[in-house]
Amino acid sequence: MHDVIPQGATDAPPKARGRAIVVTSGKGGVGKTTTTANVGAALAASGAAVVLVDADVGLRNLDIVMGLEARVRHHVLDVLEGLASVDEALVSDKRVPSLKLLAAAQTREKDDVDTAAFRDLIGTLRDRFDYVLIDCPAGIEMGFANAIVAADEAIVVCTPEVSAVRDADRVVGLLGDGRKVQLIVNRVRPEMVRKGKMLSVDDVNAILRLPLLGVIADAPDVIISTNKGEPVALDAASPVGSTYRAIAERISGTRSDEPELPREKSFFEKLFGGR
Amino acid sequence: MFDFIKKLFGPEPSSVTARERLRLVLLSDHLSLAPDVVESLKLDLIEVISRYCEVDIANCDVTFEQQEKQVAMLANIPILGMRSRQAPRAPEPPPAPAPPPASTSPAAAQSTAQPQPSSPKAGAGTGAPRRRRRRKPSGGVNPAPQAT
């Protein structure tokens, strides 16, 4: 193996290896990147050392959702190819000091990623962080294979749509039996579910049969927060933010209750624009 | 098409349509079978069974159902009656008293061949016990059950 990762990059005492969790879905546009950003932010806000790795080489977006795009100097391929050290490439989040980002390369292609080198990089990061969250590209090609190779856990993000469930089902099959796979159902509209106009979480999970980490409402908060580049998970007043924080607690094991379904807005909340 | 019409005229919520579409699409994904393959499988099944029984073809239904970690095929094929063709086949099994050939014959042949030698001996036997007996010899290999 070529020496892509400088040794001695860590000055922290040796500790238990962190968990490498890939966030994946198969279908594009269901909220993988938003989920990665918010789950990562919530985990870091609870005190864990978290690094978010954007594996979507060629279509990098995690830095945008995190609001860190202006501070990216090096990307994951620079590190894999020995052009930058891990420390040079990691971007610190000023809002949550224990949260770091390793951005994807924007002008390169997914096939440029050396699978073995990427696996080694994730291994190095696991020695330094409690959580390594890998934002997987859409699809099930090379980029997907690279993103899942070093992860021993997966979060499948699925929306209540036939196409998303079908793709998620395919991805669950590809992830195999060797990984802990959990589910986040994203963009649920409780009112539509009640009226029978949207698949319910139970409908989705009757197919996927995965442990449920949480259910995210299709709420304006999420769109507004991505507009601003501020993860909604860090917004103490946002109900969606609190759902992300509950998901983080289920991941870390400090919470084991059944995930709550998003509730409908009351009449007065609608009237006064409450969220 | 049927789903489409139901959606137009019925009050059925779209999530029901979504559920059904999802079920069907995953079915063919999991089986790696196109829907027309399922249809021709159904026709083949009916054809085979029709050799032995009179089948209510209009009310045949072959579906696949997702179970824990697999898909099961459920065939509901109403039988209107037995074909009289069974009679000419009856003389064939008796000249083969040795149990091994009977047990090595394919399952489909066994099910029609076996009852014949047993019914003359246990004349009073009803249909139900005969069926039960048929299963035992396939595991036990011995001709003993015929004596019952």
Side-chain angles (χ1 to χ4, degrees), chain B residues 124-146:
Chain B
T126 58
R130 211 187 293 158
R131 220 174 272 155
R132 227 173 272 146
R133 230 179 288 141
R134 217 186 296 157
R135 275 182 202 159
K136 279 178 189 166
S138 64
V141 181
N142 272 314
Q146 287 187 354

PDB file of all heavy atoms in Angstrom, chain B residues 124-146:
ATOM      1  N   ALA B 124     -62.782 -49.914   2.171  1.00  0.00           N
ATOM      2  CA  ALA B 124     -63.620 -49.022   2.974  1.00  0.00           C
ATOM      3  C   ALA B 124     -62.954 -47.695   3.270  1.00  0.00           C
ATOM      4  O   ALA B 124     -63.569 -46.797   3.808  1.00  0.00           O
ATOM      5  CB  ALA B 124     -63.985 -49.700   4.291  1.00  0.00           C
ATOM      6  N   GLY B 125     -61.707 -47.596   2.912  1.00  0.00           N
ATOM      7  CA  GLY B 125     -60.942 -46.373   3.240  1.00  0.00           C
ATOM      8  C   GLY B 125     -61.549 -45.147   2.578  1.00  0.00           C
ATOM      9  O   GLY B 125     -61.986 -45.194   1.438  1.00  0.00           O
ATOM     10  N   THR B 126     -61.579 -44.050   3.298  1.00  0.00           N
ATOM     11  CA  THR B 126     -62.080 -42.801   2.726  1.00  0.00           C
ATOM     12  C   THR B 126     -60.942 -42.072   2.022  1.00  0.00           C
ATOM     13  O   THR B 126     -59.790 -42.484   2.098  1.00  0.00           O
ATOM     14  CB  THR B 126     -62.653 -41.891   3.824  1.00  0.00           C
ATOM     15  OG1 THR B 126     -61.626 -41.638   4.770  1.00  0.00           O
ATOM     16  CG2 THR B 126     -63.837 -42.520   4.500  1.00  0.00           C
ATOM     17  N   GLY B 127     -61.330 -40.986   1.388  1.00  0.00           N
ATOM     18  CA  GLY B 127     -60.327 -40.223   0.645  1.00  0.00           C
ATOM     19  C   GLY B 127     -59.245 -39.636   1.530  1.00  0.00           C
ATOM     20  O   GLY B 127     -58.084 -39.677   1.187  1.00  0.00           O
ATOM     21  N   ALA B 128     -59.660 -39.121   2.667  1.00  0.00           N
ATOM     22  CA  ALA B 128     -58.700 -38.407   3.497  1.00  0.00           C
ATOM     23  C   ALA B 128     -57.543 -39.276   4.000  1.00  0.00           C
ATOM     24  O   ALA B 128     -56.398 -38.922   3.821  1.00  0.00           O
ATOM     25  CB  ALA B 128     -59.416 -37.748   4.662  1.00  0.00           C
ATOM     26  N   PRO B 129     -57.864 -40.451   4.605  1.00  0.00           N
ATOM     27  CA  PRO B 129     -56.755 -41.264   5.092  1.00  0.00           C
ATOM     28  C   PRO B 129     -55.845 -41.730   3.966  1.00  0.00           C
ATOM     29  O   PRO B 129     -54.660 -41.876   4.161  1.00  0.00           O
ATOM     30  CB  PRO B 129     -57.427 -42.446   5.780  1.00  0.00           C
ATOM     31  CG  PRO B 129     -58.863 -42.346   5.470  1.00  0.00           C
ATOM     32  CD  PRO B 129     -59.158 -40.998   4.966  1.00  0.00           C
ATOM     33  N   ARG B 130     -56.422 -41.917   2.831  1.00  0.00           N
ATOM     34  CA  ARG B 130     -55.614 -42.379   1.716  1.00  0.00           C
ATOM     35  C   ARG B 130     -54.542 -41.343   1.381  1.00  0.00           C
ATOM     36  O   ARG B 130     -53.416 -41.640   1.095  1.00  0.00           O
ATOM     37  CB  ARG B 130     -56.514 -42.594   0.498  1.00  0.00           C
ATOM     38  CG  ARG B 130     -56.033 -43.701  -0.407  1.00  0.00           C
ATOM     39  CD  ARG B 130     -56.857 -43.747  -1.669  1.00  0.00           C
ATOM     40  NE  ARG B 130     -58.236 -44.137  -1.423  1.00  0.00           N
ATOM     41  CZ  ARG B 130     -59.225 -43.848  -2.258  1.00  0.00           C
ATOM     42  NH1 ARG B 130     -58.984 -43.136  -3.353  1.00  0.00           N
ATOM     43  NH2 ARG B 130     -60.447 -44.234  -2.004  1.00  0.00           N
ATOM     44  N   ARG B 131     -54.973 -40.111   1.458  1.00  0.00           N
ATOM     45  CA  ARG B 131     -54.032 -39.040   1.137  1.00  0.00           C
ATOM     46  C   ARG B 131     -52.891 -39.026   2.155  1.00  0.00           C
ATOM     47  O   ARG B 131     -51.739 -38.825   1.829  1.00  0.00           O
ATOM     48  CB  ARG B 131     -54.768 -37.706   1.153  1.00  0.00           C
ATOM     49  CG  ARG B 131     -54.324 -36.797   0.026  1.00  0.00           C
ATOM     50  CD  ARG B 131     -55.175 -35.568  -0.016  1.00  0.00           C
ATOM     51  NE  ARG B 131     -56.369 -35.730  -0.825  1.00  0.00           N
ATOM     52  CZ  ARG B 131     -57.481 -35.026  -0.648  1.00  0.00           C
ATOM     53  NH1 ARG B 131     -57.566 -34.167   0.356  1.00  0.00           N
ATOM     54  NH2 ARG B 131     -58.510 -35.191  -1.418  1.00  0.00           N
ATOM     55  N   ARG B 132     -53.272 -39.263   3.383  1.00  0.00           N
ATOM     56  CA  ARG B 132     -52.261 -39.230   4.424  1.00  0.00           C
ATOM     57  C   ARG B 132     -51.254 -40.366   4.232  1.00  0.00           C
ATOM     58  O   ARG B 132     -50.076 -40.209   4.401  1.00  0.00           O
ATOM     59  CB  ARG B 132     -52.938 -39.375   5.798  1.00  0.00           C
ATOM     60  CG  ARG B 132     -52.440 -38.354   6.814  1.00  0.00           C
ATOM     61  CD  ARG B 132     -53.244 -38.442   8.077  1.00  0.00           C
ATOM     62  NE  ARG B 132     -54.434 -37.606   8.051  1.00  0.00           N
ATOM     63  CZ  ARG B 132     -55.581 -37.922   8.638  1.00  0.00           C
ATOM     64  NH1 ARG B 132     -55.692 -39.073   9.283  1.00  0.00           N
ATOM     65  NH2 ARG B 132     -56.601 -37.128   8.581  1.00  0.00           N
ATOM     66  N   ARG B 133     -51.807 -41.488   3.856  1.00  0.00           N
ATOM     67  CA  ARG B 133     -50.947 -42.646   3.666  1.00  0.00           C
ATOM     68  C   ARG B 133     -49.950 -42.412   2.524  1.00  0.00           C
ATOM     69  O   ARG B 133     -48.850 -42.884   2.544  1.00  0.00           O
ATOM     70  CB  ARG B 133     -51.819 -43.868   3.338  1.00  0.00           C
ATOM     71  CG  ARG B 133     -51.505 -45.077   4.183  1.00  0.00           C
ATOM     72  CD  ARG B 133     -52.418 -46.201   3.813  1.00  0.00           C
ATOM     73  NE  ARG B 133     -53.788 -45.986   4.262  1.00  0.00           N
ATOM     74  CZ  ARG B 133     -54.845 -46.310   3.546  1.00  0.00           C
ATOM     75  NH1 ARG B 133     -54.698 -46.855   2.347  1.00  0.00           N
ATOM     76  NH2 ARG B 133     -56.045 -46.090   4.003  1.00  0.00           N
ATOM     77  N   ARG B 134     -50.455 -41.679   1.562  1.00  0.00           N
ATOM     78  CA  ARG B 134     -49.614 -41.464   0.387  1.00  0.00           C
ATOM     79  C   ARG B 134     -48.314 -40.750   0.756  1.00  0.00           C
ATOM     80  O   ARG B 134     -47.298 -40.923   0.136  1.00  0.00           O
ATOM     81  CB  ARG B 134     -50.387 -40.615  -0.638  1.00  0.00           C
ATOM     82  CG  ARG B 134     -50.101 -41.033  -2.051  1.00  0.00           C
ATOM     83  CD  ARG B 134     -50.763 -40.079  -2.996  1.00  0.00           C
ATOM     84  NE  ARG B 134     -52.214 -40.119  -2.883  1.00  0.00           N
ATOM     85  CZ  ARG B 134     -52.996 -39.118  -3.251  1.00  0.00           C
ATOM     86  NH1 ARG B 134     -52.459 -38.000  -3.709  1.00  0.00           N
ATOM     87  NH2 ARG B 134     -54.303 -39.208  -3.147  1.00  0.00           N
ATOM     88  N   ARG B 135     -48.424 -39.899   1.737  1.00  0.00           N
ATOM     89  CA  ARG B 135     -47.218 -39.161   2.111  1.00  0.00           C
ATOM     90  C   ARG B 135     -46.229 -40.051   2.856  1.00  0.00           C
ATOM     91  O   ARG B 135     -45.043 -39.930   2.704  1.00  0.00           O
ATOM     92  CB  ARG B 135     -47.581 -37.976   3.000  1.00  0.00           C
ATOM     93  CG  ARG B 135     -47.971 -36.786   2.155  1.00  0.00           C
ATOM     94  CD  ARG B 135     -48.277 -35.618   3.026  1.00  0.00           C
ATOM     95  NE  ARG B 135     -49.117 -34.679   2.294  1.00  0.00           N
ATOM     96  CZ  ARG B 135     -49.879 -33.773   2.863  1.00  0.00           C
ATOM     97  NH1 ARG B 135     -49.926 -33.693   4.178  1.00  0.00           N
ATOM     98  NH2 ARG B 135     -50.600 -32.950   2.150  1.00  0.00           N
ATOM     99  N   LYS B 136     -46.771 -40.944   3.652  1.00  0.00           N
ATOM    100  CA  LYS B 136     -45.875 -41.779   4.466  1.00  0.00           C
ATOM    101  C   LYS B 136     -44.941 -42.649   3.625  1.00  0.00           C
ATOM    102  O   LYS B 136     -43.751 -42.652   3.873  1.00  0.00           O
ATOM    103  CB  LYS B 136     -46.683 -42.660   5.429  1.00  0.00           C
ATOM    104  CG  LYS B 136     -47.111 -41.886   6.673  1.00  0.00           C
ATOM    105  CD  LYS B 136     -47.952 -42.751   7.575  1.00  0.00           C
ATOM    106  CE  LYS B 136     -48.565 -41.915   8.697  1.00  0.00           C
ATOM    107  NZ  LYS B 136     -49.623 -42.652   9.385  1.00  0.00           N
ATOM    108  N   PRO B 137     -45.481 -43.386   2.636  1.00  0.00           N
ATOM    109  CA  PRO B 137     -44.578 -44.257   1.903  1.00  0.00           C
ATOM    110  C   PRO B 137     -43.437 -43.515   1.219  1.00  0.00           C
ATOM    111  O   PRO B 137     -42.340 -44.039   1.125  1.00  0.00           O
ATOM    112  CB  PRO B 137     -45.476 -44.928   0.853  1.00  0.00           C
ATOM    113  CG  PRO B 137     -46.776 -44.233   0.907  1.00  0.00           C
ATOM    114  CD  PRO B 137     -46.854 -43.550   2.213  1.00  0.00           C
ATOM    115  N   SER B 138     -43.675 -42.279   0.809  1.00  0.00           N
ATOM    116  CA  SER B 138     -42.604 -41.550   0.138  1.00  0.00           C
ATOM    117  C   SER B 138     -41.419 -41.350   1.069  1.00  0.00           C
ATOM    118  O   SER B 138     -40.284 -41.261   0.651  1.00  0.00           O
ATOM    119  CB  SER B 138     -43.115 -40.198  -0.363  1.00  0.00           C
ATOM    120  OG  SER B 138     -43.479 -39.407   0.759  1.00  0.00           O
ATOM    121  N   GLY B 139     -41.692 -41.286   2.386  1.00  0.00           N
ATOM    122  CA  GLY B 139     -40.584 -41.175   3.328  1.00  0.00           C
ATOM    123  C   GLY B 139     -40.134 -42.541   3.799  1.00  0.00           C
ATOM    124  O   GLY B 139     -38.970 -42.807   4.001  1.00  0.00           O
ATOM    125  N   GLY B 140     -41.073 -43.469   3.975  1.00  0.00           N
ATOM    126  CA  GLY B 140     -40.755 -44.741   4.583  1.00  0.00           C
ATOM    127  C   GLY B 140     -40.264 -45.795   3.596  1.00  0.00           C
ATOM    128  O   GLY B 140     -39.691 -46.778   4.005  1.00  0.00           O
ATOM    129  N   VAL B 141     -40.500 -45.623   2.318  1.00  0.00           N
ATOM    130  CA  VAL B 141     -40.021 -46.511   1.258  1.00  0.00           C
ATOM    131  C   VAL B 141     -40.707 -47.878   1.264  1.00  0.00           C
ATOM    132  O   VAL B 141     -40.872 -48.503   0.243  1.00  0.00           O
ATOM    133  CB  VAL B 141     -38.468 -46.689   1.315  1.00  0.00           C
ATOM    134  CG1 VAL B 141     -38.003 -47.594   0.187  1.00  0.00           C
ATOM    135  CG2 VAL B 141     -37.771 -45.336   1.245  1.00  0.00           C
ATOM    136  N   ASN B 142     -41.188 -48.366   2.402  1.00  0.00           N
ATOM    137  CA  ASN B 142     -41.754 -49.706   2.470  1.00  0.00           C
ATOM    138  C   ASN B 142     -43.176 -49.791   1.922  1.00  0.00           C
ATOM    139  O   ASN B 142     -43.916 -48.828   1.969  1.00  0.00           O
ATOM    140  CB  ASN B 142     -41.772 -50.187   3.934  1.00  0.00           C
ATOM    141  CG  ASN B 142     -40.461 -50.856   4.283  1.00  0.00           C
ATOM    142  OD1 ASN B 142     -39.965 -51.674   3.517  1.00  0.00           O
ATOM    143  ND2 ASN B 142     -39.895 -50.482   5.418  1.00  0.00           N
ATOM    144  N   PRO B 143     -43.555 -50.955   1.417  1.00  0.00           N
ATOM    145  CA  PRO B 143     -44.909 -51.111   0.905  1.00  0.00           C
ATOM    146  C   PRO B 143     -45.916 -51.375   2.016  1.00  0.00           C
ATOM    147  O   PRO B 143     -47.096 -51.536   1.763  1.00  0.00           O
ATOM    148  CB  PRO B 143     -44.798 -52.330  -0.022  1.00  0.00           C
ATOM    149  CG  PRO B 143     -43.661 -53.122   0.534  1.00  0.00           C
ATOM    150  CD  PRO B 143     -42.752 -52.163   1.260  1.00  0.00           C
ATOM    151  N   ALA B 144     -45.444 -51.424   3.247  1.00  0.00           N
ATOM    152  CA  ALA B 144     -46.288 -51.746   4.393  1.00  0.00           C
ATOM    153  C   ALA B 144     -47.605 -50.963   4.448  1.00  0.00           C
ATOM    154  O   ALA B 144     -48.647 -51.538   4.701  1.00  0.00           O
ATOM    155  CB  ALA B 144     -45.516 -51.529   5.691  1.00  0.00           C
ATOM    156  N   PRO B 145     -47.599 -49.656   4.209  1.00  0.00           N
ATOM    157  CA  PRO B 145     -48.833 -48.889   4.345  1.00  0.00           C
ATOM    158  C   PRO B 145     -49.996 -49.464   3.533  1.00  0.00           C
ATOM    159  O   PRO B 145     -51.140 -49.270   3.890  1.00  0.00           O
ATOM    160  CB  PRO B 145     -48.470 -47.498   3.820  1.00  0.00           C
ATOM    161  CG  PRO B 145     -47.053 -47.547   3.411  1.00  0.00           C
ATOM    162  CD  PRO B 145     -46.464 -48.791   3.940  1.00  0.00           C
ATOM    163  N   GLN B 146     -49.694 -50.203   2.500  1.00  0.00           N
ATOM    164  CA  GLN B 146     -50.766 -50.739   1.670  1.00  0.00           C
ATOM    165  C   GLN B 146     -51.620 -51.740   2.448  1.00  0.00           C
ATOM    166  O   GLN B 146     -52.786 -51.911   2.161  1.00  0.00           O
ATOM    167  CB  GLN B 146     -50.171 -51.452   0.447  1.00  0.00           C
ATOM    168  CG  GLN B 146     -49.611 -50.453  -0.555  1.00  0.00           C
ATOM    169  CD  GLN B 146     -49.170 -51.113  -1.826  1.00  0.00           C
ATOM    170  OE1 GLN B 146     -49.189 -52.339  -1.916  1.00  0.00           O
ATOM    171  NE2 GLN B 146     -48.772 -50.323  -2.792  1.00  0.00           N
TER     172      GLN B 146
END
